[in-house]
Amino acid sequence: MHIDNAIRTRKSVRRFRPDSISREVIEHILELAARAPSGNNVQPWHVHVITGIAKLELCSDILAAAREDASAHEPEYAYYPTEWFEPYQGRRREVGFSLYNRLGIGRGDRDARDTQMLRNFQFFDAPVGLLISLDRRLSTGSYIDLGMFIQNILLAARGQGLHTCAQAAFAGYHRVIRDHLPLAEQDILVCGIALGYEDPEAPENGLITGRAPVSDFAAFHGFED
């Protein structure tokens, strides 16, 4: 797949087919992803790949914890601001409303919205989940490096005809995850990634989020008209 097409067709898939993925394909994706740049080539990423019974048991325990008291589970880093402001608040609301509209969930239907949120913790039915962590002793630059590594995973997956969904929601349940996986004590859980084949019949997978035009976020200097 041409890199332009991989970038343009990458999207957050929220319902997957159950088709399995071989370990060889996953290792190939991770090998490509590890070509991401990092400051002084420190390569700060760690990945736990989970499937089968191990994934089902982990998902079951996270769902139970979320249903019992989601407020008791917090990530070890701040992903979002404590107070939203424009233009980011508007973009956030637009994608949320668009997703719920596709699913037929009304704005006031809190129960249905919560049910959809909990699907995160089943990796949206994907057969493979990746859990991405970073050594907490590193600093902000390594988060930038990790972001490029994660993007490489998403694009390399497209090259194999697969889709993904990057999921910060898992970060809040790091204590539950540590009960299932040998996540190093010095590692901070950053996100999960669902990996699999898209269910093309699912209405939520028809959501293609918009992007601001280049003129909104880029300034060009020294160019002649």
Side-chain angles (χ1 to χ4, degrees), residues 101-165:
N101 285 340
R102 283 192 161 272
L103 291 166
I105 298 174
R107 294 190 181 187
D109 192 344
R110 182 62 182 269
D111 288 343
R113 292 173 66 174
D114 288 347
T115 297
Q116 176 61 26
M117 173 61 186
L118 289 174
R119 283 185 46 72
N120 271 283
F121 305 125
Q122 297 171 302
F123 290 100
F124 296 114
D125 302 326
V128 175
L130 311 178
L131 293 162
I132 313 294
S133 62
L134 175 74
D135 193 314
R136 70 179 71 247
R137 295 169 296 183
L138 296 171
S139 194
T140 308
S142 290
Y143 279 88
I144 297 171
D145 300 339
L146 185 65
M148 292 186 281
F149 171 73
I150 291 169
Q151 177 74 342
N152 271 6
I153 290 175
L154 309 187
L155 297 181
R158 291 299 300 124
Q160 298 297 309
L162 299 166
H163 272 284
T164 54
C165 186

Side-chain angles (χ1 to χ4, degrees), residues 58-76:
L58 172 64
C59 290
S60 178
D61 280 0
I62 294 177
L63 280 168
R67 287 173 174 143
E68 181 179 354
D69 185 6
S71 65
H73 299 271
E74 294 289 339
E76 295 184 275

Side-chain angles (χ1 to χ4, degrees), residues 8-144:
R8 292 188 187 281
T9 61
R10 186 220 60 83
K11 61 182 179 179
S12 294
V13 162
R14 294 180 175 88
R15 188 176 297 274
F16 291 84
R17 303 200 318 254
D19 310 49
S20 63
I21 306 168
S22 71
R23 176 169 175 169
E24 289 73 21
V25 167
I26 299 167
E27 288 183 346
H28 175 74
I29 289 169
L30 294 176
E31 179 186 8
L32 286 176
R35 295 304 307 173
S38 59
N40 288 311
N41 198 33
V42 299
Q43 306 172 63
W45 37 79
H46 300 116
V47 182
H48 287 274
V49 183
I50 188 166
T51 191
I53 295 299
K55 182 175 77 72
L56 290 174
E57 291 177 346
L58 172 64
C59 290
S60 178
D61 280 0
I62 294 177
L63 280 168
R67 287 173 174 143
E68 181 179 354
D69 185 6
S71 65
H73 299 271
E74 294 289 339
E76 295 184 275
Y77 71 100
Y79 190 102
Y80 294 116
T82 54
E83 293 187 16
W84 286 96
F85 48 93
E86 297 299 341
Y88 314 109
Q89 173 75 306
R91 293 172 181 169
R92 175 175 177 260
R93 285 176 171 168
E94 181 181 0
V95 71
F97 292 150
S98 296
L99 174 62
Y100 295 139
N101 285 340
R102 283 192 161 272
L103 291 166
I105 298 174
R107 294 190 181 187
D109 192 344
R110 182 62 182 269
D111 288 343
R113 292 173 66 174
D114 288 347
T115 297
Q116 176 61 26
M117 173 61 186
L118 289 174
R119 283 185 46 72
N120 271 283
F121 305 125
Q122 297 171 302
F123 290 100
F124 296 114
D125 302 326
V128 175
L130 311 178
L131 293 162
I132 313 294
S133 62
L134 175 74
D135 193 314
R136 70 179 71 247
R137 295 169 296 183
L138 296 171
S139 194
T140 308
S142 290
Y143 279 88
I144 297 171

